[in-house]
Amino acid sequence: MRPKIYLFGDSITEESFDDGGWGASLVNHFARTVDVVLRGYSGYNTRWALKVVDRVFPAAESGGAAASEPPVLAVTVFFGANDACLPDRYAAFQHVPLDEYKQNLHSIVSSLKKRWPKTLILLITPPPIDEDERLRHPYAENPSGLPERTNEAAGAFAKACVETAGECGIPVVDLWTRMQQNPDWPKAYLRDGLHLTPDGNKVVFEEVVKKLNEGGLSLENLKVDLPLLVDIDLGDPLKAFDHL
Amino acid sequence: MRPKIYLFGDSITEESFDDGGWGASLVNHFARTVDVVLRGYSGYNTRWALKVVDRVFPAAESGGAAASEPPVLAVTVFFGANDACLPDRYAAFQHVPLDEYKQNLHSIVSSLKKRWPKTLILLITPPPIDEDERLRHPYAENPSGLPERTNEAAGAFAKACVETAGECGIPVVDLWTRMQQNPDWPKAYLRDGLHLTPDGNKVVFEEVVKKLNEGGLSLENLKVDLPLLVDIDLGDPLKAFDHL
C-alpha cells in the first residue's frame, strides 16, 4: 500500500492543482513513492475546518488508524488567510479572532496527532497580502474602498501560526516572511493580492519539500514500489518482475 | 469516503502532474468530489503492466473490493506507446507484438472488471509519433539514424486499442486520430515527438472528461462531501456544519 500525504487547507490548497500548482508539483515529485491527496476547502477558516476535520480524515481507531489503511506520512495544515479577514470589513463572515485561531490550530493538530501519532504535521502560515490588488480583484464590488484583508493582520496570524508550531513541537513554513524576502513579492507571487502565481506556488512547493526532507521524507528514504526503468535489465526485462 | 479515479499507464501518465499535465487538471476538475490517483510507470509496456496489475491495485475480495474501501469510479488504462517501439530498432526491449498487446489489454481490463464490476474502464490509445523529433531528442545518441518508433506503428497499436475497447464494450479515447485532426499536431501537442506539451495535455484532459461525463461521472452527478462556500449562509456560517 502506497503511503499518503494529505494537503488540508483553504482555497490556496484547493486550487493547488491548477497550472503550476504546488499540490500538483508534490504529486509529480513523489510520483512513484507517495499518494499526495487533496483536501482543500475554499473559503474555510480554522473554525469551519475544526467542524469538519473528523469527516475529512478517516476515522481513528482506538490507539491510531486501522492497520489496513495506508500509512499517512505527513499532513500540511494551511489555514489563516480567511481567519485574518478583518471583523469590520467586506469578508467579516470569515473572520476568526486571533486567540481562537491559535486554539483552533492546536485542536486540529491534536486531532491529527491522536489519529496518527507518528505523522509529520506541517503548518503553513498565510501568505502576505497585497491590499491594493485586493481592491481591484476580486472585490471590485466592495463599496467601502477598504481592503477586506490587510498585510498587517495576515502577519499577526502568521506569527500566531509560527508560535503554535513551536508550542506543538512541529515544523512550520513561514510563508508570510519568506515571500516578503523578495521585494517583488506582490506581483511575483500573488495573482490577486492573496492567491498564488506559478512562482508563488513554486515557493510553497520548495518550502514544503524542504520541511518534508528535514523530517526524513525525502526521495532517498522513500520506497519505490515497482521497478524503475533504470533498474530494468534491457536484455531481460521480465527478470525485474519475477520476485516482486 | 471520497471515491477514486485511478490513472494507470506509462510515462505519459507518470508525468501527467508536471506543469499543465492532464492528471493535475483532473484533480483540479474533481477537487471537491473525487480523489484522482496516479499510477504511472515510465517505460512500461502492457507486458510489464500485466505483471504488476495485482500490485498496483488493492487486492480484490471474492466478488469485488472490500466494503471498507472507497468506491473506484473509473480507471484510465493508457498503454501502447512503448509496445509500439519497433522490434529491430533502438528501443526494441520495450516492443510487444501487436497480437500480444491486444491480449494484454484484454487481460488488464478483465482483471479490473473482476475487481470492480461497476467501474468505468477507459482505454486511451497511444498518441501519434513525430519521427523527426524522436531522432533529435531524446535519442540523439541513437546510432542507426532510424527512429525507434514510427507513426505508422503507433497507428496500428491505436487501432488495436480501439478494437479491444469495442470487444470489451468499454469507452476509448482514440488519441492517435484525435491529435492528427490538428495539422500542427507534431509541434502543438508533442514536446519530443512522443510526450505531451501543455496543449497536448489539454487534449487528453478534455477527451477524458468527455468520456467520464458520457459514463455518468460529471460534476453535476457527483456528491460534494462538505459544504461549498456558495452554500454557506454568510449571516450564520456554522449552520452549514450542524447536520453533516
Side-chain angles (χ1 to χ4, degrees), chain B residues 12-208:
Chain B
I12 305 175
T13 297
E14 181 173 331
E15 67 179 39
S16 70
F17 286 77
D18 210 342
D19 282 357
W22 64 278
S25 297
L26 284 173
V27 175
N28 195 45
H29 182 76
F30 290 115
R32 295 291 289 272
T33 53
V34 177
D35 285 335
V36 177
V37 182
L38 177 61
R39 288 292 180 274
Y41 301 91
S42 277
Y44 279 43
N45 54 32
T46 55
R47 190 185 286 167
W48 306 356
L50 193 54
K51 288 276 182 192
V52 302
V53 67
D54 287 335
R55 289 181 59 100
V56 169
F57 298 104
E61 307 275 310
S62 60
S68 62
E69 283 173 20
V72 175
L73 302 181
V75 183
T76 61
V77 178
F78 189 174
F79 289 100
N82 295 317
D83 303 61
C85 288
L86 298 188
D88 54 356
R89 298 268 176 98
Y90 196 67
F93 72 100
Q94 290 173 297
H95 170 73
V96 170
L98 194 58
D99 285 350
E100 184 190 334
Y101 169 71
K102 272 193 78 168
Q103 189 50 55
N104 290 344
L105 274 187
H106 270 283
S107 300
I108 291 167
V109 172
S110 296
S111 166
L112 295 172
K113 282 276 178 203
K114 187 177 164 197
R115 210 171 300 254
W116 300 303
K118 295 175 184 172
T119 297
L120 189 159
I121 315 292
L122 173 58
L123 298 187
I124 307 174
T125 77
I129 296 293
D130 177 8
E131 297 169 23
D132 292 346
E133 191 64 25
R134 290 308 288 164
L135 285 172
R136 278 192 288 275
H137 173 83
Y139 285 129
E141 81 280 21
N142 176 345
S144 70
L146 295 169
E148 87 293 353
R149 292 165 168 88
T150 63
N151 194 39
E152 186 185 359
F157 281 75
K159 188 162 168 279
C161 180
V162 172
E163 286 167 5
T164 306
E167 290 155 15
C168 296
I170 62 176
V172 60
V173 172
D174 183 352
L175 196 60
W176 190 83
T177 300
R178 168 68 184 77
M179 285 190 159
Q180 291 180 88
Q181 288 166 356
N182 176 351
D184 297 329
W185 67 267
K187 297 290 167 280
Y189 296 147
L190 306 176
R191 72 172 159 72
D192 62 0
L194 165 64
H195 297 95
L196 309 179
T197 60
D199 279 348
N201 273 289
K202 206 171 162 200
V203 171
V204 177
F205 167 67
E206 289 172 351
E207 294 294 322
V208 168

Side-chain angles (χ1 to χ4, degrees), chain A:
Chain A
M1 281 188 299
R2 205 179 277 197
K4 291 184 179 186
I5 294 176
Y6 282 104
L7 312 182
F8 184 38
D10 56 28
S11 57
I12 305 175
T13 297
E14 181 173 331
E15 66 179 39
S16 70
F17 285 76
D18 210 342
D19 282 358
W22 64 278
S25 297
L26 284 172
V27 175
N28 195 44
H29 181 77
F30 289 114
R32 294 292 289 273
T33 53
V34 177
D35 286 335
V36 178
V37 182
L38 177 61
R39 289 292 179 273
Y41 302 91
S42 276
Y44 279 42
N45 54 32
T46 54
R47 190 186 284 165
W48 307 356
L50 194 54
K51 288 275 183 192
V52 301
V53 67
D54 287 337
R55 288 181 59 100
V56 168
F57 297 104
E61 307 275 310
S62 59
S68 62
E69 284 173 20
V72 175
L73 302 181
V75 183
T76 61
V77 177
F78 191 174
F79 288 101
N82 297 317
D83 304 60
C85 288
L86 298 189
D88 54 356
R89 298 268 176 98
Y90 195 67
F93 73 100
Q94 290 172 298
H95 170 73
V96 169
L98 193 58
D99 285 352
E100 184 190 334
Y101 169 71
K102 271 193 78 168
Q103 189 48 55
N104 290 344
L105 274 187
H106 269 284
S107 299
I108 291 168
V109 172
S110 296
S111 167
L112 295 171
K113 281 274 176 204
K114 187 177 164 199
R115 210 170 300 253
W116 300 303
K118 295 174 183 171
T119 296
L120 190 159
I121 315 292
L122 173 58
L123 298 187
I124 307 174
T125 78
I129 296 294
D130 178 7
E131 296 169 23
D132 292 346
E133 191 63 26
R134 290 308 288 165
L135 285 173
R136 278 193 288 275
H137 173 82
Y139 285 130
E141 80 280 23
N142 176 345
S144 70
L146 295 169
E148 87 294 351
R149 291 165 169 87
T150 63
N151 194 39
E152 186 185 0
F157 280 76
K159 187 162 169 279
C161 179
V162 171
E163 286 168 5
T164 305
E167 289 155 15
C168 296
I170 61 176
V172 60
V173 172
D174 183 353
L175 197 60
W176 189 83
T177 300
R178 168 67 184 77
M179 285 191 158
Q180 290 180 88
Q181 288 166 356
N182 176 351
D184 297 329
W185 66 268
K187 297 290 167 279
Y189 296 147
L190 306 176
R191 72 172 159 73
D192 61 0
L194 165 64
H195 297 95
L196 309 179
T197 61
D199 279 348
N201 273 289
K202 205 171 163 199
V203 171
V204 177
F205 167 68
E206 289 173 351
E207 294 294 322
V208 168
V209 167
K210 197 188 295 175
K211 295 293 178 186
L212 294 176
N213 283 351
E214 288 170 9
L217 303 177
S218 64
L219 291 181
E220 293 72 32
N221 294 340
L222 293 166
K223 199 169 162 290
V224 173
D225 50 6
L226 291 172
L228 295 169
L229 188 55
V230 293
D231 297 326
I232 290 175
D233 179 349
L234 307 194
D236 185 6
L238 288 184
K239 204 169 55 185
F241 302 96
D242 275 350
H243 303 289
L244 291 179

